Amino acid sequence: MFSLPGARAFTAGNLLARLPMGMFSVSAVVMIAGSRGSYALAGAVTATGLAATALAGPWIARLVDRHGQARVAVPATLVSVLGSLALLLCVRCDAPGWTLFAAYTATAATPNIGGLSRARWAHLLRDDPGALHTANSFEQAADELCFMLGPVLASFLTGTFFPEAGTLAGAVLLLAGMALFTVQRATEPPARAPARAPSPLRSPGIPALLACFTATGAVFGSMEVVTIAFADAQGHRAAAGAVLALQAAGSCGAGLVYGALKPAGLGLTRCLAAMAALMTLPWLSAAVTGSLPVLAATLLVAGMATAPTMVTAMTLVQRRTPADRVNEGMSLVVTGLLGGIACGAAAGGWAAERLSPAAAFTVPAASACLALLVDAVSGATGSPRRTR
């Protein structure tokens, strides 16, 4: 992969810009909950921002397909960074609650950096499906690496310096990484004329994938909030980032293995079934033992189902989306995920505050089961034969 000219350079910028994706939510939850004393408010604010991102994502991706990555991603990133800084100032100055929602909504302009990078690989490796599978697996492992390091860095910064340090550092990294990524013009897919192909929403199987991954996103959103709340209840809120990092570490390792082995016949249904089974482990460990180290170990195991599921889904999207709308197609799947993350974050925050932090782990477990149920009902995404 990295023998291709320019691949190392755009990957370096991509990783730098992607790291804040694992920092912003954790930083916002810690910053808002610490200042206002409410996990429900923190979860609602992050959910609003993610919902706005889900709505804006396909529109930004459509502009990228039409005008090119650099011309769209740079100004969009500037708007997002200003939104993050506005949130920081609103929390710092004890502004009214509605200003937190308004400021965090502006971060919806953040380009889908993972989608931009996958589009470059799809362009460079369009004639080599095996290499493209490996590239997609690497990208998913990179996602998990950033979500492994991001929460740790955010927790360290907010705990060591001041509550707003994680948001401030994330904004700087996002801007610098996007600038480095977009200057690599040689690997950028060419801009295309206004698409004549039908919307990816009309492509066979795409609506079913969107519904399935809305439920999957709820797993991720709720798990983040309830884990922070559980660690806080145990008196170790600063350790929440490290605990969440173990879930991402399990997924990162599984993604690298999945990309190297290229197992045949592992359809989306089997991946979702494994995730539904493994996501019950954190709930059981929290309810039975109440131990943060035991929870961390179960999150490591549970995370191993994430990367194969996402790699399989992104490969399906790339195959089923018209070539001139590939960014839009991948962004639609991310939209489904973000919509689910928003709902999961709000539900997780409500459950942690109204029930108990341990009982709140039923939210990600139930969401994983719902994703499997949606896939089984749709019958459009799980068959290995149809996948090929």
Side-chain angles (χ1 to χ4, degrees):
M1 285 167 49
F2 295 114
S3 64
L4 295 171
R8 295 183 182 183
F10 86 72
T11 299
N14 156 42
L15 293 176
L16 192 63
R18 204 182 297 194
L19 181 60
M21 299 302 102
M23 298 175 61
F24 282 135
S25 292
V26 174
S27 298
V29 169
V30 172
M31 184 170 60
I32 296 171
S35 173
R36 306 299 172 94
S38 173
Y39 279 104
L41 176 62
V45 170
T46 56
T48 300
L50 290 171
T53 302
L55 295 175
W59 177 69
I60 294 174
R62 191 176 304 158
L63 292 176
V64 168
D65 284 328
R66 183 176 301 181
H67 301 291
Q69 294 185 352
R71 291 182 62 186
V72 176
V74 173
T77 300
L78 289 172
V79 173
S80 175
V81 168
L82 291 175
S84 295
L85 296 178
L87 176 67
L88 184 155
L89 292 175
C90 289
V91 173
R92 189 74 172 178
C93 299
D94 199 25
W98 66 266
T99 62
L100 306 182
F101 291 90
Y104 205 66
T105 298
T107 64
T110 306
N112 177 14
I113 180 63
L116 298 180
S117 186
R118 286 178 174 91
R120 294 200 179 203
W121 289 121
H123 171 66
L124 296 173
L125 302 173
R126 55 191 177 277
D127 298 324
D128 191 346
L132 183 58
H133 169 85
T134 302
N136 283 332
S137 299
F138 167 77
E139 287 297 320
Q140 188 59 39
D143 275 342
E144 303 303 338
L145 178 66
C146 293
F147 279 100
M148 177 173 61
L149 299 178
V152 176
L153 180 59
S155 297
F156 170 76
L157 292 173
T158 56
T160 304
F161 299 101
F162 48 91
E164 300 83 4
T167 299
L168 181 61
V172 173
L173 288 171
L174 175 61
L175 188 59
M178 190 62 74
L180 179 60
F181 178 83
T182 52
V183 297
Q184 311 302 323
R185 303 301 293 270
T187 56
E188 181 179 344
R192 300 178 183 270
R196 296 183 178 180
S199 167
L201 285 172
R202 298 172 61 184
S203 300
I206 295 296
L209 281 170
L210 291 179
C212 180
F213 280 93
T214 299
T216 303
V219 177
F220 306 147
S222 58
M223 185 66 77
E224 184 173 277
V225 174
V226 301
T227 299
I228 295 174
F230 184 83
D232 193 11
Q234 301 292 314
H236 300 289
R237 187 173 69 177
V243 174
L244 287 169
L246 287 175
Q247 181 185 0
S251 184
C252 181
L256 292 175
V257 172
Y258 186 65
L261 297 181
K262 303 181 180 67
L266 185 61
L268 188 57
T269 298
R270 294 182 180 178
C271 293
L272 290 171
M275 185 169 65
L278 293 178
M279 285 300 165
T280 62
L281 297 179
W283 171 35
L284 293 174
S285 66
V288 175
T289 69
S291 169
L292 190 61
V294 174
L295 173 66
T298 56
L299 284 175
L300 175 66
V301 177
M304 293 179 182
T306 302
T309 302
M310 291 300 301
V311 171
T312 304
M314 285 299 181
T315 302
L316 285 171
V317 172
Q318 289 172 348
R319 291 174 180 173
R320 294 176 176 180
T321 303
D324 57 352
R325 305 189 79 156
V326 65
N327 277 295
E328 184 180 352
M330 288 190 290
S331 182
L332 283 170
V333 172
V334 174
T335 291
L337 281 168
L338 291 178
I341 290 173
C343 295
W350 179 90
E353 195 163 287
R354 300 296 178 87
L355 303 177
S356 70
F361 280 99
T362 57
V363 177
S367 301
C369 293
L370 179 60
L372 179 60
L373 178 62
V374 169
D375 175 73
V377 170
S378 69
T381 60
S383 168
R385 181 176 300 175
R386 282 191 290 270
T387 298
R388 287 196 293 272

